Amino acid sequence: MNTSTSYLAIGSNTIWLTFPSTPDQLLIQTYLLGLGADHSLLCALPNDPALSNLKCGIPCKGRSYIDGDIYEFETVIQEILTKPPTIRLAAPPNVSRQYPRAFPRLTVNMTGAVRPLSDKGGILAVLPVQLSNLSPTGCQLRVAPSAWPLVSSSHLHISCRLPGFNHSSKFSGSIEWVDPATELVIGTKFSFSSPQDPANRDVMRWYTSQQANLINTTA
């Protein structure tokens, strides 16, 4: 376990956990309550029936935002306690700092709506959202953390009106990463049924337009 791990105890206590082996990769927001003598992580667990499938030994991925940097780790569930609902994660063998991805994207300042889905595909909420960058493969958006469901899957729907368009475009996608800052920042990856998908054609048309190059800057 490298020295980055100690920051989890003294920085922001918010941790986002993804469980890849569960249906639709459950995503939960939790809080670090303390470190065990074996450097395990004791975290608060939302009291939600969707978490009944969590068992000891299930792998998970964690992400925390600390002093302007994003830290990531992988571990497994060591223990699950019911009163109060808490989860103990085995000491991560490594905690790494995430570096920005290097792919072309255009900065935007667009309003829209996001619909997080349950593990069965049902819409859990319709939330106002602010898009801060956009590319043909995905986008980055901001949403109020207090409005986000405690438990959801990694899948969501996004709707927005691209600059210069007179209709709303509707994107399906998955959460690639979560930055648990004061205002929740989520990186998403779009999923299109085909190149002829209306949303795919919309974003490609906007992305390659002269208007996009003039009113936005490359991130």
Side-chain angles (χ1 to χ4, degrees), residues 145-168:
S146 59
W148 189 264
L150 289 177
V151 178
S152 68
S153 75
S154 64
H155 302 294
L156 44 74
H157 296 316
I158 302 167
S159 59
C160 63
R161 180 172 294 183
L162 299 173
F165 285 62
N166 58 10
H167 65 272
S168 292

Side-chain angles (χ1 to χ4, degrees), residues 48-55:
D48 191 287
L51 300 179
S52 60
N53 291 327
L54 295 185
K55 308 292 182 183

Side-chain angles (χ1 to χ4, degrees), residues 110 161-167 202 205-206 209 211-212 215:
M110 295 163 41
R161 180 172 294 183
L162 299 173
F165 285 62
N166 58 10
H167 65 272
D202 282 353
R205 177 181 159 196
W206 172 81
S209 70
Q211 182 186 34
I215 67 173

